[in-house]
Amino acid sequence: MIPPFSHLVRLARAGFVLAREGVFALVDPEPLPAAAQIGLKLARLLERPTSASGATRLSSALGRLGPSYVKLGQFLATRPDVVGQAIASDLENLQDKMPPFPQDQAEAAIERALGRPVHGMFTAFGPPLAAASVAQVHRAEIATPTGPRSVAVKVLRPGIEKDLRADIQAFFFAARLAERFSAEARRLRLEQVVATLARSVTVELDLRLEAAAASEMADNVADDPDFRVPRVEWDLTAHNVLTTEWIDGTPLSDRAALERRGLDLPALGRTVIQSFLRHAVRDGFFHADMHPGNLFVDDAGRLVAVDFGIMGRLTEKERRFLAEILYGFISRNYRRAAEVHFEAGYVPATQSIDEFTQAIRAIGEPIHNRSAEDISMAKLLTLLFEVTALFDMKTRPELLLLQKTMVVVEGVGRMLDPRLDMWTTAEPVVRAWLERHLGPAGRVEGAVEGVGEVGRFLGGMPGLLSRAARLSEQIDRATRDGILLAPETVAGIGEAEARRNRGTTVALWVIAVLLLLNLVR
């Protein structure tokens, strides 16, 4: 099938810009096939002379290519398994900052989305205060029974959806092409990488989804005394407009202001780490962009997060995996940490668990010979994923996003307290989750839920029997009207039904007995 010409044009333009900026100088030619090495040499002939560092070259090229490539760069910063640790570190410096678009365009977009004049919805509407590749933010005021209240209004850039979707289709084409010709590309699941990026961009292009993410997290943390989320103004939110409570707090990026307020910075650092772990392990839903610019301290001393465009989710299995892995390293139970990988299906059963335990010990033991402030939990996970690759562990995008977020969160915590003990800070959160879900109470609760499932199935049996009776009547009427079934056919149907009913009955009794035995234990 001939690919769309537009994909080739977009990719050719991107390749030219990357070559001119000298980005291909960052690529190691060693592992590439001969044909790719030749292509790399030809591309480097287009380089313009520059003394810029690799990070500057890459950031400059992606910025010139537009919002889609800025997002791609930010996303690839979370995937060192794809681009390598050095390039991923460079991409962390990529700033998602763009010139603002005109005020009249922003107001026109809001009016089209909400169907009312801007000054009919807001008593005041200020100029853009921050502009990124996808949207910009304005400060405004709304009237309430208690007086005017400040809100933040986020507006998508005009035409951004069309441009982003076109570029992502080109990324899909490039990923499919790479997987077709490269075994390494297939191992890294490049098409799945692009699909993950596409899902992330989809959330950012529909601000109602970001509002829903903020609302969900607000529900999750409603009882947390030290963390909160801005309230969403749903009446002033649409596909391309998001209105939330305005946060007047001090940004964590302004350490001097935090010190002037007399805040306990080490305690604040612990709050950042423990809040993130609670969200990931307890809730399975975490803010995946917790850099200092997205975190504030309000007047009550609580941590407040903003910008919910990039979120991470973990299933129950992944949360258990994370909790047991971290606790295994904390308690030096390397065998258990290894077993969890196999139980979760992350490492194939064909691998040796003894050899895998040995590999994990090689990562964990050096940690216990170093001081607390020298131990990086994020680096440990990075090393762990590198080791698991040797044991044919497939790439897990959700765990890599978690690991990358932990790098950022750990950096924020250590910025506030350079001597922060990550393990002492993490241990209460991880231990509480394990006790709650894997201790005696958790096992009883799981068994009760299993009995409930059987009960619901048995409760539905009268309905199944009723439908069977109606079907029997319909067959009887049909046969009276002239559709005849051969006696051997009727007998065959009866025998099949009898076997199926006996199998179902036996299976139900076995399940019920096993669950009851589990409860008794």
Side-chain angles (χ1 to χ4, degrees), residues 188-330:
L188 292 172
R189 303 180 184 180
L190 291 188
E191 196 168 353
Q192 185 178 333
V193 170
V194 178
T196 306
L197 170 65
R199 286 194 296 272
S200 173
V201 169
T202 297
V203 172
E204 292 200 68
L205 290 178
D206 189 340
L207 296 181
R208 293 170 299 186
L209 298 180
E210 182 177 339
S215 177
E216 181 178 348
M217 178 162 272
D219 288 343
N220 291 343
V221 304
D223 296 327
D224 293 357
D226 51 7
F227 188 96
R228 75 180 187 91
V229 171
R231 180 176 58 257
V232 175
E233 299 290 342
W234 286 102
D235 291 343
L236 298 172
T237 294
H239 175 83
N240 59 338
V241 179
L242 169 61
T243 306
T244 64
E245 167 192 4
W246 179 266
I247 300 300
D248 268 324
T250 307
L252 259 62
S253 56
D254 192 346
R255 183 186 177 93
L258 296 173
E259 290 175 341
R260 284 196 299 272
R261 284 184 56 182
L263 295 170
D264 184 341
L265 298 192
L268 191 56
R270 290 192 296 273
T271 298
V272 172
I273 302 297
Q274 292 183 341
S275 294
F276 165 70
L277 286 173
R278 273 198 299 269
H279 304 159
V281 176
R282 180 192 67 190
D283 306 326
F285 188 57
F286 60 92
H287 193 304
D289 195 19
M290 288 182 68
H291 63 75
N294 281 342
L295 297 171
F296 297 80
V297 183
D298 67 10
D299 293 339
R302 292 173 297 180
L303 196 64
V304 187
V306 300
D307 193 354
F308 299 87
I310 305 176
M311 305 296 292
R313 285 193 185 276
L314 298 175
T315 65
E316 184 76 19
K317 180 178 81 170
E318 289 150 359
R319 288 150 65 188
R320 177 189 166 192
F321 171 78
L322 172 65
E324 290 215 62
I325 284 295
L326 292 178
Y327 202 72
F329 279 101
I330 291 170

Side-chain angles (χ1 to χ4, degrees), residues 31 152 168 324 465 495:
I168 285 175
E324 290 215 62
L465 293 173
E495 289 174 5

Side-chain angles (χ1 to χ4, degrees), residues 51-205:
S51 59
S53 67
T56 306
R57 292 181 191 181
L58 194 52
S59 300
S60 174
L62 294 175
R64 284 186 59 192
L65 286 169
S68 306
Y69 287 85
V70 171
K71 287 295 167 195
L72 177 65
Q74 290 180 318
F75 178 73
L76 289 178
T78 71
R79 297 301 304 269
D81 61 313
V82 175
V83 298
Q85 191 61 54
I87 293 179
S89 298
D90 288 344
L91 287 171
E92 289 176 14
N93 300 316
L94 186 63
Q95 296 297 307
D96 190 13
K97 294 180 180 178
M98 298 282 176
F101 55 90
Q103 177 91 357
D104 59 340
Q105 290 186 23
E107 294 186 8
I110 293 170
E111 290 177 352
R112 283 194 301 271
L114 300 177
R116 289 172 283 169
V118 164
H119 296 293
M121 296 179 280
F122 304 99
T123 55
F125 191 84
L129 298 178
S133 57
V134 170
Q136 66 187 33
V137 177
H138 299 252
R139 182 170 184 170
E141 287 186 350
I142 58 174
T144 70
T146 57
R149 180 156 52 83
S150 293
V151 292
V153 184
K154 187 174 184 177
V155 191
L156 289 185
R157 286 182 176 274
I160 190 65
E161 296 174 75
K162 182 180 178 182
D163 291 341
L164 280 172
R165 290 198 171 110
D167 281 334
I168 285 175
Q169 288 305 311
F171 297 161
F172 269 118
F173 167 67
R176 283 192 292 269
L177 199 64
E179 288 194 6
R180 181 177 178 183
F181 294 105
S182 168
E184 181 66 8
R186 289 191 293 274
R187 187 189 74 81
L188 292 172
R189 303 180 184 180
L190 291 188
E191 196 168 353
Q192 185 178 333
V193 170
V194 178
T196 306
L197 170 65
R199 286 194 296 272
S200 173
V201 169
T202 297
V203 172
E204 292 200 68
L205 290 178

